[in-house]
Amino acid sequence: MRHFGHISPTVRKDLFHQEPVEFTAASPSRLLAAALGATLYSPATRPHLAADIRKQAARGVLSMVLCLEDSISDAEVGSGETNLIRQFEALDAQEDELPLLFIRIRTPEQIPDLVRRLGGTARHLAGFVLPKFTETRGTAFLDAVADAENRNGLPRLYAMPVLETPDLLHLETRVEALAGISRTVNRYREHVLALRLGVTDFCSAYGLRRTPDMTAYDVQIVAGVIADVVNVLSRADGTGFTVTGPVWEYFRSQQRLFKPQLRRSPFLEEGVEELRTALIEHDLDGLLREIELDRANGLLGKTCIHPAHVTPVHALSVVSHEEFSDAQDILRPERDGGGVMRSAYTNKMNEVKPHRAWAERTMLRAEVFGVAREEVGFVDLLTAGLQV
């Protein structure tokens, strides 16, 4: 697998100063966590799920969650499990390159049962998404993941806990809830690939729903929780986990209250004003703004519920040539003692010690998403991805 691997090598060469690396499910967890990108969710009940997975892989999707939880009704869980077993058999019948596949379950008991029923096809399973994760619930989930891996001789089963319970929202319980989650995921660090945010459930606790004109960061009670999750669980001192961005719920045009948030100038310069219009019509200008705010607030990757969201997430994850240049300068061995310098682009100050953690994270993102050529921007990357 590699990001933008669905684009021809010739086009990639024109787009990238440094191309994204190839990786597999056996790659180091730190690299895999950064490489999740746009994780596409799909109900486990879809009758042609195997074909859907192959189609999305051909369009650049590198991680998917097959959901047995909130995306299906309580009455459909049994049929959803049966369908998953059948669809994994269909995937196993062909040697196509598949995305990282995770199953979102409801209870810890489903984990050993599903792995047993999958049999040899479990080799295509990267892990499980653990809903409504708390310290109390989390231990049973993570024990089940570790036990299923050991009992079935699998090389690695990862877990992605979802942080979405009311005790994280409520001010009087948030500190202890986060401390408990931290204790739990640290005990199972080798199995925890990334932490996911359930912002829809956060909003639900207060009867809120953001409109397509607003990002998660415009809903202050949600923004406060995101900030505290990053504060406790995603520190850059070696103790932190990758935390992924919240879902963007919209994919159809609705009546607008506010003017579009997508600047016209980059599209005019590239001569693709019609692409800007299409993004606005499908409410994706709000998504683009939220992706930028995700990264500014310490999140990497994003939960997606529609294929149209995948390419924008990946295009905005590519490291710009300017970012790469700054990170390289900051991390030069001869500057290990610190100091300050003017950037190679002569438009900012790079201070070696304070900016080192940012530079290291940028280099990791550059490894998995690549570095754009100096003259290549987001519009070029988005257009190339959408043309496939």
Side-chain angles (χ1 to χ4, degrees), residues 34-187:
L36 287 168
T39 300
L40 184 64
Y41 277 54
S42 178
T45 51
R46 289 179 68 89
H48 305 294
L49 186 57
D52 293 339
I53 290 169
R54 290 193 185 97
K55 180 171 73 172
Q56 297 309 325
R59 294 178 175 179
V61 173
L62 296 188
S63 62
M64 289 187 70
V65 173
L66 315 176
C67 185
L68 289 165
E69 209 229 356
D70 284 348
S71 69
I72 65 174
S73 72
D74 298 345
E76 293 178 300
V77 175
S79 60
E81 291 179 345
T82 302
N83 187 56
L84 274 182
I85 306 306
R86 186 168 58 249
Q87 300 298 333
F88 267 73
E89 290 172 353
L91 290 172
D92 197 56
Q94 298 185 30
E95 290 299 320
D96 298 342
E97 188 172 78
L98 300 175
L100 298 170
L101 298 177
F102 301 85
I103 300 175
R104 185 182 186 186
I105 37 78
R106 296 183 175 214
T107 67
E109 292 74 23
Q110 287 177 292
I111 293 171
D113 181 59
L114 284 168
V115 173
R116 177 186 59 79
R117 292 165 66 188
L118 284 168
T121 68
R123 68 189 181 92
H124 300 299
L125 181 64
F128 292 90
V129 173
L130 314 179
K132 299 171 179 59
F133 191 91
T134 64
E135 181 177 23
T136 305
R137 284 169 54 87
T139 299
F141 274 119
L142 290 168
D143 274 342
V145 171
D147 190 57
E149 177 189 289
N150 293 331
R151 284 180 180 271
N152 294 276
L154 297 173
R156 174 63 73 208
L157 276 181
Y158 286 110
M160 292 199 289
V162 185
L163 311 185
E164 55 188 344
T165 52
D167 58 348
L168 281 175
L169 264 183
H170 299 158
L171 194 59
E172 68 273 19
T173 54
R174 186 181 305 168
V175 171
E176 180 52 33
L178 282 169
I181 290 168
S182 178
R183 287 190 291 267
T184 305
V185 295
N186 273 295
R187 285 201 304 273

Side-chain angles (χ1 to χ4, degrees), residues 129-324:
V129 173
L130 314 179
K132 299 171 179 59
F133 191 91
T134 64
E135 181 177 23
T136 305
R137 284 169 54 87
T139 299
F141 274 119
L142 290 168
D143 274 342
V145 171
D147 190 57
E149 177 189 289
N150 293 331
R151 284 180 180 271
N152 294 276
L154 297 173
R156 174 63 73 208
L157 276 181
Y158 286 110
M160 292 199 289
V162 185
L163 311 185
E164 55 188 344
T165 52
D167 58 348
L168 281 175
L169 264 183
H170 299 158
L171 194 59
E172 68 273 19
T173 54
R174 186 181 305 168
V175 171
E176 180 52 33
L178 282 169
I181 290 168
S182 178
R183 287 190 291 267
T184 305
V185 295
N186 273 295
R187 285 201 304 273
Y188 297 86
R189 178 172 285 273
E190 71 275 16
H191 287 286
V192 177
L193 183 61
L195 306 176
R196 311 197 75 88
L197 291 167
V199 164
T200 301
D201 282 61
F202 287 160
C203 290
S204 158
Y206 287 88
L208 306 174
R209 187 175 190 179
R210 69 190 191 273
T211 70
D213 300 303
M214 295 183 180
T215 71
Y217 302 93
D218 294 313
V219 183
Q220 290 301 299
I221 196 165
V222 170
V225 180
I226 294 174
D228 288 344
V229 167
V230 172
N231 189 326
V232 175
L233 296 167
S234 192
R235 297 175 184 176
D237 59 2
T239 67
F241 294 85
T242 294
V243 179
T244 64
V247 67
W248 182 257
E249 297 179 345
Y250 296 97
F251 48 86
R252 286 290 181 266
S253 179
Q254 302 184 31
Q255 185 176 4
R256 286 181 170 274
L257 292 177
F258 304 109
K259 70 179 183 178
Q261 305 171 72
L262 200 56
R263 288 191 303 114
R264 185 182 302 271
S265 54
F267 295 87
L268 290 177
E269 291 166 7
E270 302 294 338
V272 284
E273 172 68 10
E274 66 275 8
L275 174 58
R276 175 180 180 272
T277 301
L279 292 171
I280 292 169
E281 286 176 350
H282 288 81
D283 290 319
L284 295 185
D285 55 322
L287 168 64
L288 299 180
R289 180 167 175 261
E290 186 166 284
I291 296 166
E292 291 281 23
L293 288 169
D294 285 342
R295 192 160 74 245
N297 284 277
L299 310 184
L300 182 60
K302 199 162 188 67
T303 294
C304 294
I305 46 85
H306 195 278
H309 300 168
V310 171
T311 301
V313 171
H314 291 166
L316 279 174
S317 298
V318 174
V319 172
S320 71
H321 188 272
E322 181 174 345
E323 290 175 305
F324 183 68

Side-chain angles (χ1 to χ4, degrees), residues 1-2 21-29 31-32 35 97 100 158:
M1 292 178 282
R2 77 157 85 201
V21 297
E22 292 188 354
F23 62 92
T24 71
S27 295
S29 59
L31 186 141
L32 282 183
E97 188 172 78
L100 298 170
Y158 286 110

Side-chain angles (χ1 to χ4, degrees), residues 353-374:
K353 289 184 177 180
H355 289 146
R356 175 168 290 273
W358 168 86
E360 289 170 347
R361 283 189 170 185
T362 299
M363 284 304 200
L364 179 60
R365 185 159 56 91
E367 191 173 356
V368 294
F369 289 103
V371 178
R373 287 189 177 275
E374 191 169 0

